[in-house]
Amino acid sequence: MIHYHGLPITPATAAVRAIANGHAFVSFKHPDQLTIALEVAQSFALDNGAFSAWRSGKPVTDWSEYYEWVSELHRYPAFDFAVIPDVIDGDEDDNDALLDEWPWANKSPHVGAPVWHLHESLERLDRLVSNWPRICLGSSGDYAQVGTNAWWIRMREAMDVICDKSGRPCTKIHGLRMLDPKIFSKFPFASADSTNIGRNIGLDSHWKGTYTPPTKEARAMIMRERIESNQSIVFWDRKINLIQESFL
């Protein structure tokens, strides 16, 4: 699977260590390190920034600037995909309307990936799986906190829809905010992202002991190696994952 590390990461030198010859997740709300991603990353994906805007209490209603941004960047050789705009706490009609508005919906479906929010119906998930080459899974509603018992049960239900009887995903799966080995190693993800490195390299309380890395650059390298040393599973096995869940 592809491990996307969310930008920005400060200082910039630590960002370079986190994504050099790797993969970057660049948010429309925080695009200031896009140049670094273009210069050193193997590939990059674009996040619409809806989650950040929603948390700030100012959800986006006009996505025209995001469409222009994607239009410029999707032809770059290192571009992988862009997250199609979504309404975090909206209903399915709201999010389907944004899919209809997406400029590349028909001519280049690989450019964007729609978001299925865990609180939405499994029927909508099945429809997205049937029509898109990649989908994103977003934690929301009663399943907003990743890793709770309710979240694991809902993800199991989602996998049963996404995968065929042999456990093979019928489309590529991206886990939004799921780049934790305890999470992504349990599912047949094609990719996942998080801002774990950016959020944790500056927290001195998380780095103690005789061999504490002295710089943020070193911390970024250590976190990246720990994350990327793990991979997702190849096939979804409902019985095995039920056993694994009991130990979480």
Side-chain angles (χ1 to χ4, degrees), residues 19-234:
I19 65 171
N21 299 314
H23 309 277
F25 208 61
V26 184
S27 173
F28 180 59
K29 295 293 290 184
H30 303 285
D32 39 304
Q33 290 187 340
L34 173 62
T35 300
I36 295 176
L38 295 176
E39 290 178 349
V40 307
Q42 185 178 141
S43 74
F44 68 93
L46 303 177
D47 179 32
N48 59 41
F51 182 75
S52 297
W54 175 72
R55 289 189 65 180
S56 70
K58 298 179 180 179
V60 180
T61 56
D62 181 0
W63 290 100
S64 57
E65 291 185 7
Y66 179 65
Y67 298 152
E68 292 176 7
W69 195 57
V70 175
S71 180
E72 168 65 24
L73 295 172
H74 85 281
R75 294 184 181 276
Y76 283 45
F79 172 85
D80 282 339
F81 70 95
V83 180
I84 296 175
D86 60 314
V87 184
I88 304 297
D89 57 355
D91 59 28
E92 297 185 8
D93 290 339
D94 293 331
N95 285 297
D96 283 341
L98 287 172
L99 295 187
D100 293 336
E101 184 179 292
W102 181 243
W104 299 272
N106 297 316
K107 57 184 179 181
S108 299
H110 64 278
V111 170
V115 180
W116 179 74
H117 305 88
L118 268 65
H119 74 275
E120 294 177 338
S121 70
L122 296 176
E123 288 74 20
R124 182 173 192 263
L125 175 60
D126 186 49
R127 177 158 44 88
L128 295 179
V129 169
S130 299
N131 290 297
W132 292 86
R134 181 191 307 265
I135 64 168
C136 302
L137 302 183
S139 304
S140 59
D142 292 336
Y143 318 102
Q145 185 177 344
V146 177
T148 63
N149 288 336
W151 185 90
W152 282 106
I153 292 171
R154 187 58 170 173
M155 284 292 290
R156 181 187 63 198
E157 294 172 344
M159 290 302 114
D160 288 343
V161 172
I162 296 171
C163 301
D164 64 18
K165 293 181 179 180
S166 298
R168 299 170 298 189
C170 297
T171 189
K172 291 186 180 298
I173 313 167
H174 178 85
L176 293 168
R177 299 188 295 120
M178 297 182 193
L179 194 61
D180 179 339
K182 294 180 181 178
I183 301 297
F184 68 72
S185 64
K186 306 298 191 296
F187 303 107
F189 286 169
S191 57
D193 74 88
S194 80
T195 56
N196 284 344
I197 293 180
R199 288 187 289 108
N200 287 289
I201 60 172
L203 298 177
D204 293 339
S205 61
H206 290 187
W207 302 86
K208 296 181 179 180
T210 305
Y211 300 103
T212 299
T215 66
K216 292 181 179 179
E217 291 80 4
R219 294 175 181 179
M221 291 180 64
I222 290 171
M223 289 193 67
R224 174 180 174 178
E225 182 176 359
R226 288 177 178 174
I227 292 170
E228 295 186 5
S229 64
N230 296 273
Q231 282 293 331
S232 62
I233 58 175
V234 177

